[in-house]
Amino acid sequence: MRLFRIDASVRAEGSVTREVADTVLGVWREAHAEGTLTRRDLRTDPVPASAWQSLVGSPPPPLHEADQARALAAKLADELVEADAYLFAVPLYNFGPSQHFKTWTDLVLTDPRFAPGAERALTGKPAVLVTARGGGYGPGTPRWGWDHSTPWLVRMLQDVFGFNLQVSEAELTLAEVNPALAPLRGLAAESLAAAHRSARRHGEFLAAQVAAGVA
Ligand SMILES: Cc1cc2nc3c(=O)[nH]c(=O)nc-3n(C[C@H](O)[C@H](O)[C@H](O)COP(=O)(O)O)c2cc1C
């Protein structure tokens, strides 16, 4: 049983996505103690944006650059297709997706296994997306509709890669440090608690799907 986990938070300490993803991972490990974990941390090991340019840009780069980029794309794609279950921890940055995660996605999609028309290697496999936002984005709030990360992530993971996807979200994560959000600290705590509760359910979902041989 193999779990693939990717983290995109730029923070090593105090990261809410890492903390909530750890909850998912803990439940997974209880069920699959013998399982293996492949981790890709985009904070310490970001994918170079130049790799994608080498493969899709024009004029083409020197041959060795394209070869290097193709080899990296194949390595990232291998990590994906070899796993049975998936955990994506990706925060909201500047109202959009993490650039590190977008760069990773762009490069993975250059691999022939993810080309349009290729047999979909990941269809139906169970995955959990953990995301976190500093502010509040619910209906009726001033920023309603400004989170352009979560809808994009869901489209890519669910509809492009074909995962059977569950999502855990925490909001108002900046309430503790941003005085303007201080009145919302109670809501922030509720949101974080709800994210951990759903993370536990989603950890069980990953474990059960894999045990049932769905992946
Ligand atoms: C460079 C940067 C940009 C951010 N942009 C936004 C934003 O547009 N909207 C928002 O609600 N929070 C924003 N945040 C806050 C993060 O979404 C929030 O701190 C989240 O918890 C980060 O994930 P992490 O806790 O896993 O590191 C930003 C944080 C950073 C560092």
Side-chain angles (χ1 to χ4, degrees):
M1 304 302 179
R2 293 156 298 185
L3 179 70
F4 171 79
R5 170 173 173 173
I6 191 164
D7 287 276
S9 171
V10 295
R11 297 196 289 179
E13 301 294 328
S15 160
V16 174
T17 51
R18 289 176 195 275
E19 178 192 310
V20 176
D22 283 347
T23 295
V24 178
L25 181 61
V27 174
W28 160 269
R29 278 191 163 138
E30 280 168 24
H32 295 296
E34 79 296 348
T36 60
L37 173 67
T38 301
R39 284 194 80 153
R40 182 155 283 276
D41 192 333
L42 299 176
R43 185 189 73 86
T44 50
D45 194 13
V47 171
S50 56
W52 182 68
Q53 157 106 14
S54 300
L55 295 176
V56 301
S58 65
L63 202 54
H64 74 276
E65 274 182 34
D67 284 346
Q68 271 177 3
R70 209 170 288 111
L72 179 56
K75 183 168 186 275
L76 301 180
D78 284 347
E79 288 175 355
L80 274 183
V81 299
E82 286 167 4
D84 303 301
Y86 301 83
L87 178 53
F88 297 89
V90 188
L92 171 71
Y93 290 134
N94 295 322
F95 306 112
S98 139
Q99 62 159 297
H100 286 337
F101 188 76
K102 177 70 164 61
T103 303
W104 174 88
T105 307
D106 287 340
L107 192 60
V108 166
L109 290 174
T110 64
D111 186 86
R113 286 166 284 183
F114 297 104
E119 195 177 322
R120 298 178 81 194
L122 305 172
T123 301
K125 288 189 175 184
V128 175
L129 165 66
V130 173
T131 193
R133 302 178 278 270
Y137 291 80
T141 64
R143 292 295 192 209
W144 166 241
W146 280 62
D147 173 3
H148 299 286
S149 172
T150 312
W152 179 83
L153 288 165
V154 169
R155 276 274 174 245
M156 295 308 292
L157 296 173
Q158 190 170 266
D159 301 323
V160 175
F161 287 117
F163 289 117
N164 179 1
L165 184 71
Q166 306 290 324
V167 183
S168 293
E169 308 175 71
E171 282 209 326
L172 296 166
T173 64
L174 292 177
E176 284 300 324
V177 293
N178 182 344
L181 297 177
L184 303 175
R185 283 180 188 161
L187 282 177
E190 279 175 31
S191 176
L192 183 61
H196 280 289
R197 279 197 303 276
S198 78
R200 278 189 284 277
R201 284 198 309 277
H202 296 154
E204 288 166 7
F205 158 81
L206 287 183
Q209 291 276 303
V210 170
V214 174

